[in-house]
Amino acid sequence: MNKTLVHTSIIDRLQADLLIARDALKASHEAATHAESKAENKYDTRGLEAAYLADGQRRRLHEIEQALSSYRNFPVRTPDPESIKLGALVVLETAGERRWVFLGPDAAGLQLLVEGAQVLVISPRSPLGQALLGRSAGEEVDVQVGDRRQRYEVVAVY
């Protein structure tokens, strides 16, 4: 799989998400400041709820902008066969099923379809990201999430 294509796909997806988030922020801000959102009595919370929604949309927009900046400034690196580092594209196998993950600086949880394969973006802050750092192909990693333990084999690193 082409790692440059994965990197470009992440940026494209974040740019699309940014446009959607901007529209959502604009709509929620308009709702919060609209005359109909003014409280009619002390129990009317429409305006307050709209303001909370607008604040959440503002924070989401900021997160997407930060992630987009991280990826625009993040170089696509050649793979290090010795160990998994930030920027690695990794093939994992668990219970006979293969998964592609990209260890990125941000945008954890983003799922992409690249060259017909699902790629999950993870960060070094996630349990799986932490477990993968420093590992190499052929090694196994155990990840504890809640009360569940999952074992992965590192099949390949790109």
Side-chain angles (χ1 to χ4, degrees):
M1 179 175 296
N2 184 336
K3 190 160 57 167
T4 303
L5 184 57
V6 172
H7 188 260
T8 303
S9 296
I10 292 169
I11 291 173
D12 291 346
R13 177 70 166 284
L14 289 171
Q15 287 174 329
D17 289 352
L18 187 65
L19 293 175
I20 293 167
R22 281 186 178 143
D23 289 343
L25 175 60
K26 182 180 177 190
S28 63
H29 185 277
E30 287 172 0
T33 58
H34 195 274
E36 289 183 11
S37 292
K38 186 176 180 185
E40 295 174 4
N41 59 50
K42 67 180 182 177
Y43 302 106
D44 187 354
T45 61
R46 283 179 294 186
L48 182 61
E49 291 167 3
Y52 281 133
L53 179 60
D55 185 54
Q57 294 292 353
R58 180 194 52 76
R59 280 186 269 135
R60 177 68 182 132
L61 180 68
H62 182 68
E63 289 172 0
I64 295 170
E65 287 171 338
Q66 282 185 315
L68 191 53
S69 176
S70 294
Y71 279 98
R72 284 182 174 151
N73 296 316
F74 189 72
V76 177
R77 297 184 175 125
T78 56
D80 182 352
E82 296 301 316
S83 67
I84 296 173
K85 294 183 173 110
L86 194 62
L89 181 60
V90 183
V91 181
L92 300 174
E93 188 171 304
T94 182
E97 186 176 316
R98 288 197 173 189
R99 297 179 61 188
W100 289 85
V101 295
F102 181 81
L103 187 59
D106 213 329
L110 191 66
Q111 293 188 30
L112 308 161
L113 186 62
V114 181
E115 296 181 342
Q118 278 290 126
V119 178
L120 173 66
V121 178
I122 62 172
S123 79
R125 295 179 300 276
S126 70
L128 181 56
Q130 289 174 5
L132 288 175
L133 283 173
R135 301 298 180 124
S136 58
E139 290 189 58
E140 289 188 350
V141 294
D142 287 323
V143 180
Q144 183 77 32
V145 180
D147 61 347
R148 224 176 93 214
R149 187 175 246 357
Q150 187 73 43
R151 177 167 288 191
Y152 296 94
E153 179 187 347
V154 178
V155 175
V157 180
Y158 299 96

